[in-house]
mmCIF file with all atom_site columns, all heavy atoms in Angstrom:
data_model
loop_
_atom_site.group_PDB
_atom_site.id
_atom_site.type_symbol
_atom_site.label_atom_id
_atom_site.label_alt_id
_atom_site.label_comp_id
_atom_site.label_asym_id
_atom_site.label_entity_id
_atom_site.label_seq_id
_atom_site.pdbx_PDB_ins_code
_atom_site.Cartn_x
_atom_site.Cartn_y
_atom_site.Cartn_z
_atom_site.occupancy
_atom_site.B_iso_or_equiv
_atom_site.pdbx_formal_charge
_atom_site.auth_seq_id
_atom_site.auth_comp_id
_atom_site.auth_asym_id
_atom_site.auth_atom_id
_atom_site.pdbx_PDB_model_num
ATOM 1  N N   . GLN A 1 182 ? -9.454  -13.030 0.649  1.00 92.00 ? 182 GLN A N   1
ATOM 2  C CA  . GLN A 1 182 ? -9.328  -13.334 -0.720 1.00 92.00 ? 182 GLN A CA  1
ATOM 3  C C   . GLN A 1 182 ? -8.101  -14.266 -0.979 1.00 92.00 ? 182 GLN A C   1
ATOM 4  O O   . GLN A 1 182 ? -7.211  -14.287 -0.102 1.00 92.00 ? 182 GLN A O   1
ATOM 5  C CB  . GLN A 1 182 ? -9.149  -12.038 -1.519 1.00 92.00 ? 182 GLN A CB  1
ATOM 6  C CG  . GLN A 1 182 ? -10.420 -11.164 -1.502 1.00 92.00 ? 182 GLN A CG  1
ATOM 7  C CD  . GLN A 1 182 ? -10.681 -10.453 -2.838 1.00 92.00 ? 182 GLN A CD  1
ATOM 8  O OE1 . GLN A 1 182 ? -9.775  -10.059 -3.518 1.00 92.00 ? 182 GLN A OE1 1
ATOM 9  N NE2 . GLN A 1 182 ? -11.925 -10.294 -3.201 1.00 92.00 ? 182 GLN A NE2 1
ATOM 10 N N   . HIS A 1 183 ? -8.225  -14.883 -2.071 1.00 93.00 ? 183 HIS A N   1
ATOM 11 C CA  . HIS A 1 183 ? -7.211  -15.900 -2.477 1.00 93.00 ? 183 HIS A CA  1
ATOM 12 C C   . HIS A 1 183 ? -5.913  -15.151 -2.754 1.00 93.00 ? 183 HIS A C   1
ATOM 13 O O   . HIS A 1 183 ? -5.852  -14.158 -3.453 1.00 93.00 ? 183 HIS A O   1
ATOM 14 C CB  . HIS A 1 183 ? -7.655  -16.613 -3.719 1.00 93.00 ? 183 HIS A CB  1
ATOM 15 C CG  . HIS A 1 183 ? -6.643  -17.422 -4.442 1.00 93.00 ? 183 HIS A CG  1
ATOM 16 N ND1 . HIS A 1 183 ? -6.457  -18.791 -4.092 1.00 93.00 ? 183 HIS A ND1 1
ATOM 17 C CD2 . HIS A 1 183 ? -5.624  -17.112 -5.325 1.00 93.00 ? 183 HIS A CD2 1
ATOM 18 C CE1 . HIS A 1 183 ? -5.430  -19.221 -4.835 1.00 93.00 ? 183 HIS A CE1 1
ATOM 19 N NE2 . HIS A 1 183 ? -4.949  -18.303 -5.674 1.00 93.00 ? 183 HIS A NE2 1
ATOM 20 N N   . LEU A 1 184 ? -4.786  -15.645 -2.219 1.00 89.00 ? 184 LEU A N   1
ATOM 21 C CA  . LEU A 1 184 ? -3.461  -15.146 -2.457 1.00 89.00 ? 184 LEU A CA  1
ATOM 22 C C   . LEU A 1 184 ? -2.524  -16.324 -2.416 1.00 89.00 ? 184 LEU A C   1
ATOM 23 O O   . LEU A 1 184 ? -2.343  -17.022 -1.352 1.00 89.00 ? 184 LEU A O   1
ATOM 24 C CB  . LEU A 1 184 ? -3.038  -14.071 -1.510 1.00 89.00 ? 184 LEU A CB  1
ATOM 25 C CG  . LEU A 1 184 ? -1.692  -13.463 -1.919 1.00 89.00 ? 184 LEU A CG  1
ATOM 26 C CD1 . LEU A 1 184 ? -1.899  -12.297 -2.806 1.00 89.00 ? 184 LEU A CD1 1
ATOM 27 C CD2 . LEU A 1 184 ? -0.877  -13.062 -0.735 1.00 89.00 ? 184 LEU A CD2 1
ATOM 28 N N   . SER A 1 185 ? -1.815  -16.701 -3.466 1.00 88.00 ? 185 SER A N   1
ATOM 29 C CA  . SER A 1 185 ? -0.903  -17.870 -3.441 1.00 88.00 ? 185 SER A CA  1
ATOM 30 C C   . SER A 1 185 ? 0.516   -17.325 -3.627 1.00 88.00 ? 185 SER A C   1
ATOM 31 O O   . SER A 1 185 ? 0.715   -16.196 -3.897 1.00 88.00 ? 185 SER A O   1
ATOM 32 C CB  . SER A 1 185 ? -1.306  -18.857 -4.438 1.00 88.00 ? 185 SER A CB  1
ATOM 33 O OG  . SER A 1 185 ? -1.371  -18.269 -5.791 1.00 88.00 ? 185 SER A OG  1
ATOM 34 N N   . GLY A 1 186 ? 1.442   -18.352 -3.662 1.00 86.00 ? 186 GLY A N   1
ATOM 35 C CA  . GLY A 1 186 ? 2.780   -18.025 -3.893 1.00 86.00 ? 186 GLY A CA  1
ATOM 36 C C   . GLY A 1 186 ? 3.538   -17.612 -2.630 1.00 86.00 ? 186 GLY A C   1
ATOM 37 O O   . GLY A 1 186 ? 3.176   -17.879 -1.554 1.00 86.00 ? 186 GLY A O   1
ATOM 38 N N   . VAL A 1 187 ? 4.701   -16.859 -2.798 1.00 86.00 ? 187 VAL A N   1
ATOM 39 C CA  . VAL A 1 187 ? 5.515   -16.454 -1.741 1.00 86.00 ? 187 VAL A CA  1
ATOM 40 C C   . VAL A 1 187 ? 4.686   -15.568 -0.758 1.00 86.00 ? 187 VAL A C   1
ATOM 41 O O   . VAL A 1 187 ? 3.924   -14.721 -1.252 1.00 86.00 ? 187 VAL A O   1
ATOM 42 C CB  . VAL A 1 187 ? 6.690   -15.693 -2.167 1.00 86.00 ? 187 VAL A CB  1
ATOM 43 C CG1 . VAL A 1 187 ? 7.509   -15.139 -1.064 1.00 86.00 ? 187 VAL A CG1 1
ATOM 44 C CG2 . VAL A 1 187 ? 7.547   -16.517 -3.087 1.00 86.00 ? 187 VAL A CG2 1
ATOM 45 N N   . GLY A 1 188 ? 4.763   -15.783 0.510  1.00 88.00 ? 188 GLY A N   1
ATOM 46 C CA  . GLY A 1 188 ? 3.917   -15.007 1.491  1.00 88.00 ? 188 GLY A CA  1
ATOM 47 C C   . GLY A 1 188 ? 2.634   -15.515 1.742  1.00 88.00 ? 188 GLY A C   1
ATOM 48 O O   . GLY A 1 188 ? 1.656   -14.739 2.202  1.00 88.00 ? 188 GLY A O   1
ATOM 49 N N   . SER A 1 189 ? 2.363   -16.785 1.459  1.00 94.00 ? 189 SER A N   1
ATOM 50 C CA  . SER A 1 189 ? 1.045   -17.387 1.621  1.00 94.00 ? 189 SER A CA  1
ATOM 51 C C   . SER A 1 189 ? 1.271   -18.767 2.194  1.00 94.00 ? 189 SER A C   1
ATOM 52 O O   . SER A 1 189 ? 2.359   -19.438 1.976  1.00 94.00 ? 189 SER A O   1
ATOM 53 C CB  . SER A 1 189 ? 0.208   -17.428 0.369  1.00 94.00 ? 189 SER A CB  1
ATOM 54 O OG  . SER A 1 189 ? 0.744   -18.257 -0.523 1.00 94.00 ? 189 SER A OG  1
ATOM 55 N N   . VAL A 1 190 ? 0.166   -19.334 2.726  1.00 97.00 ? 190 VAL A N   1
ATOM 56 C CA  . VAL A 1 190 ? 0.151   -20.796 3.196  1.00 97.00 ? 190 VAL A CA  1
ATOM 57 C C   . VAL A 1 190 ? -1.281  -21.198 2.818  1.00 97.00 ? 190 VAL A C   1
ATOM 58 O O   . VAL A 1 190 ? -2.214  -20.445 2.595  1.00 97.00 ? 190 VAL A O   1
ATOM 59 C CB  . VAL A 1 190 ? 0.341   -20.898 4.703  1.00 97.00 ? 190 VAL A CB  1
ATOM 60 C CG1 . VAL A 1 190 ? 1.724   -20.558 5.103  1.00 97.00 ? 190 VAL A CG1 1
ATOM 61 C CG2 . VAL A 1 190 ? -0.694  -20.170 5.493  1.00 97.00 ? 190 VAL A CG2 1
#
Side-chain angles (χ1 to χ4, degrees):
Q182 296 216 324
H183 169 93
L184 185 93
S185 61
V187 177
S189 71
V190 294

